[in-house]
Amino acid sequence: INRGKWLFCYRCGYKSSYQKFSANFNLSLVGSPPVVKNFSTSFEDYINNNTIKSDGSMYTKGASNYLKRRGIDSNLFERMNIKFGVNKLFGRVVFVDALNKYYVARAFFPALTPKTLNPLALAKPLMYAQNIKYETLFIVEGCFDMVPFLITGRLVVALLGKDISLMQLQQLQKINPKNVVIALDSDAFAAAKKLSWVLVDKFPLTSVGILLYN
């Protein structure tokens, strides 16, 4: 953030004037990081206003075909609470985590950028983490990475990246799984190893492993 002038997010590609951004999201930049005071609409209202369910149109059929190519069938469609973006999220399939009040909007139009959108001013949670007892919890990078684990009946959450945040560590502390299996992408072994040491340090009574897969 260049205070008073402009800002740019290197993660999602969002850019704006500082004046417009602070007006839209009512941010205070006193201290670090920026603190969210309030939003003009609730998470539920934002999702309802910017997503729809399948209506048989060419648009939603195209989005459904994109999901099928990524291995998501009708059962997973419901389990992952996937919706179709309109208005601000047009051209995207939207993974909605209602419990943690977070979404991931993935572009299915090839030319649409940035490829992935997330809420701009909310700390990211472990995507789809539930308030249940986990015997073994698998941790993957993104929403699509969850698919093979869900199909085979595993309990899985998405890290939304390769690094774990303070909020995500706090979530893990609450759900307290007996075993954690880190299953990042095949080219991310160094990141998986680093994450494993973080978890071993924070949760000494939890068994932590790394799954290597193609």
Side-chain angles (χ1 to χ4, degrees):
I1 298 175
N2 185 323
R3 190 183 297 265
K5 294 183 180 180
W6 53 267
L7 59 91
F8 178 75
C9 176
Y10 288 90
R11 183 164 182 265
C12 72
Y14 177 85
K15 55 187 175 182
S16 171
S17 69
Y18 168 72
Q19 183 179 10
K20 180 180 178 183
F21 184 77
S22 59
N24 287 346
F25 295 96
N26 195 16
L27 295 179
S28 168
L29 289 182
V30 178
S32 179
V35 178
V36 178
K37 293 181 179 178
N38 58 62
F39 284 92
S40 58
T41 57
S42 69
F43 174 81
E44 292 79 8
D45 288 341
Y46 183 85
I47 293 299
N48 289 336
N49 292 336
N50 292 287
T51 66
I52 58 173
K53 293 184 177 181
S54 179
D55 58 3
S57 66
M58 291 297 292
Y59 174 68
T60 59
K61 283 182 179 178
S64 296
N65 289 335
Y66 166 78
L67 292 170
K68 288 177 182 177
R69 291 195 298 270
R70 301 299 301 263
I72 296 179
D73 60 15
S74 57
N75 290 330
L76 287 185
F77 195 92
E78 294 297 326
R79 287 177 64 183
M80 300 181 79
N81 196 19
I82 300 174
K83 302 181 185 298
F84 304 112
V86 293
N87 301 327
K88 294 180 180 179
L89 299 177
F90 181 77
R92 304 176 185 276
V93 292
V94 187
F95 298 83
V96 181
D97 182 349
L99 179 63
N100 294 298
K101 298 188 183 303
Y102 201 83
Y103 70 84
V104 173
R106 184 65 176 261
F108 66 91
F109 289 165
L112 192 60
T113 58
K115 185 184 293 185
T116 303
L117 286 180
N118 308 70
L120 292 174
L122 297 177
K124 63 177 180 178
L126 287 170
M127 193 74 174
Y128 295 113
Q130 305 171 56
N131 295 325
I132 62 174
K133 184 177 180 180
Y134 287 90
E135 184 73 23
T136 298
L137 175 65
F138 289 81
I139 297 179
V140 299
E141 286 188 37
C143 292
F144 284 112
D145 299 321
M146 298 176 69
V147 172
F149 297 90
L150 291 172
I151 289 174
T152 52
R154 269 90 172 168
L155 294 172
V156 59
V157 295
L159 197 61
L160 303 176
K162 295 179 174 63
D163 300 317
I164 194 164
S165 69
L166 176 61
M167 179 181 181
Q168 291 170 336
L169 285 171
Q170 290 170 343
Q171 281 182 288
L172 276 179
Q173 190 173 27
K174 286 182 180 179
I175 60 182
N176 193 26
K178 288 186 177 180
N179 309 290
V180 171
V181 181
I182 301 166
L184 305 188
D185 290 353
S186 57
D187 62 349
F189 176 70
K193 187 176 179 181
K194 179 181 176 182
L195 176 57
S196 72
W197 284 113
V198 172
L199 297 183
V200 166
D201 180 60
K202 296 290 184 182
F203 309 104
L205 300 181
T206 298
S207 173
V208 179
I210 297 174
L211 173 65
L212 301 178
Y213 70 106
N214 190 330

